[in-house]
Amino acid sequence: MVLDESRYSLPNYEGAKYVMSPPLRTKVDQMTLKEALVNGTFQTIGSDHCSFNFEGQKLKSRHDFTRIPGGIPGAEERGIVAYDVLVNQCNMSAVDFMKLVSENPAKLYGMYPKKGGTLAVGSDGGDITIVDKSVEHVLSKESAHTKADYIPYEGYP
């Protein structure tokens, strides 16, 4: 939704940071994806999270791109970025967003209503999210909790 195929052209082999499945697409593809998420075509989202280091792991494939380990770090930032894109920029309701990222996956895996954001006796409150829209934060490796040596959303928003 945010990263596009232009990342593959970064200098100094930094495009290897963004090798994942499915691969990054065009900005037009991003618009189509956002529309499909907002109109309910898709019921959940995910990522190819795997926090390989650039220096120690992805860079080893410098002479054979077929050896680039797939996946990117960013599990910590994914929700923040998705919320900003879908709710703040694309006008998805916060309720529909929480269904997309919490309730629907819990239902898909047979974990609902124990998991998935339901506030009821017997349900797990671990899926509650509080959003303070007055807080401004720029994503950076320095503020992230990952052990990877980069985050793909550096400088976002």
Side-chain angles (χ1 to χ4, degrees), residues 98 102-104 106-107 111-118 124 127:
M98 290 312 297
S102 185
E103 183 178 315
N104 293 348
K107 287 179 177 177
M111 300 168 71
Y112 186 85
K114 177 95 172 125
K115 298 278 188 187
T118 299
D124 182 355
D127 292 336

Side-chain angles (χ1 to χ4, degrees), residues 8-156:
Y8 295 136
S9 299
L10 290 172
N12 302 318
Y13 203 65
E14 288 207 28
K17 291 178 178 179
Y18 302 93
V19 171
M20 68 187 92
S21 293
L24 297 177
R25 309 292 182 171
T26 67
K27 290 185 183 286
V28 171
D29 292 329
Q30 286 180 338
M31 289 174 42
T32 303
L33 175 61
K34 291 173 196 175
E35 289 171 15
L37 288 164
V38 171
N39 73 26
T41 300
F42 299 126
Q43 290 78 39
T44 188
I45 59 174
S47 70
D48 187 11
H49 176 78
C50 199
S51 53
F52 291 111
N53 280 313
F54 176 64
E55 290 295 329
Q57 294 167 301
K58 291 207 176 221
L59 202 54
K60 285 183 180 180
S61 65
R62 184 174 213 117
H63 301 290
D64 183 358
F65 76 92
T66 66
R67 302 258 183 221
I68 301 171
I72 61 172
E76 177 181 353
E77 299 82 20
R78 183 181 67 173
I80 297 166
V81 171
Y83 183 91
D84 182 55
V85 170
L86 296 172
V87 177
N88 294 341
Q89 297 174 29
C90 296
N91 298 314
M92 176 183 272
S93 75
V95 170
D96 286 343
F97 176 77
M98 290 312 297
K99 286 180 180 180
L100 184 74
V101 299
S102 185
E103 183 178 315
N104 293 348
K107 287 179 177 177
L108 179 68
Y109 290 104
M111 300 168 71
Y112 186 85
K114 177 95 172 125
K115 298 278 188 187
T118 299
L119 295 177
V121 174
S123 291
D124 182 355
D127 292 336
I128 296 172
T129 301
I130 298 171
V131 177
D132 184 348
K133 294 179 96 175
S134 69
V135 173
E136 292 185 22
H137 177 70
V138 175
L139 299 177
S140 71
K141 167 61 180 122
E142 287 73 35
S143 65
H145 296 92
T146 184
K147 293 186 184 196
D149 59 359
Y150 74 101
I151 64 167
Y153 306 106
E154 186 73 38
Y156 186 88

